[in-house]
Amino acid sequence: MSLFLDECQKEKDEVHVKYGVDGFCTKKFEANITTRGLDFSLLEKGSRLAIGSAEIEITKAGKDCHEGCPLRKFTHDCVMLRACAFARILKSGEIKQGDIISIVNEC
């Protein structure tokens, strides 16, 4: 599953305006869950989060850049490197808009 910082959505949407090209990921990536105020750079692989009655484990913070991405010619500061994370579900449960995300443990 994927998570994305809602605060960075505008930056992701305006990449084409700023650079004249879309990145592979900025054009196609859609998150399963959007978050607010969660700094993915502070979460290591294995960090566990509780959302609603569900629990997830971070498998990767940030997204690797594809070598052929047209955006790489213009910047190495792609929003996708810092504004998304990937996780696996440890415990299924109900997640609703507005649920608090809490760190269960940090690696």
Side-chain angles (χ1 to χ4, degrees), residues 1-94:
M1 73 179 308
S2 59
L3 300 100
F4 189 78
L5 292 172
D6 188 54
E7 300 95 295
C8 295
Q9 188 64 47
K10 183 176 178 183
E11 181 181 354
K12 178 180 165 279
D13 293 343
E14 293 179 352
V15 163
H16 185 82
V17 173
K18 185 172 183 179
Y19 297 104
V21 297
D22 286 308
F24 289 153
C25 301
T26 57
K27 183 75 171 169
K28 296 180 181 180
F29 179 85
E30 292 297 329
N32 300 108
I33 298 174
T34 55
T35 67
R36 285 188 180 265
L38 187 61
D39 187 347
F40 295 129
S41 70
L42 300 177
L43 299 176
E44 295 182 16
K45 180 179 179 179
S47 295
R48 296 168 69 174
L49 307 175
I51 310 172
S53 60
E55 191 172 316
I56 64 172
E57 179 182 67
I58 299 297
T59 57
K60 182 165 181 46
K63 184 163 185 344
D64 293 331
C65 193
H66 296 281
E67 277 193 43
C69 179
L71 189 56
R72 285 183 73 170
K73 296 176 186 174
F74 299 97
T75 183
H76 291 287
D77 182 37
C78 179
V79 66
M80 301 306 294
L81 300 174
R82 57 183 157 35
C84 68
F86 298 90
R88 67 184 186 105
I89 299 167
L90 296 176
K91 178 184 162 198
S92 64
E94 185 176 343

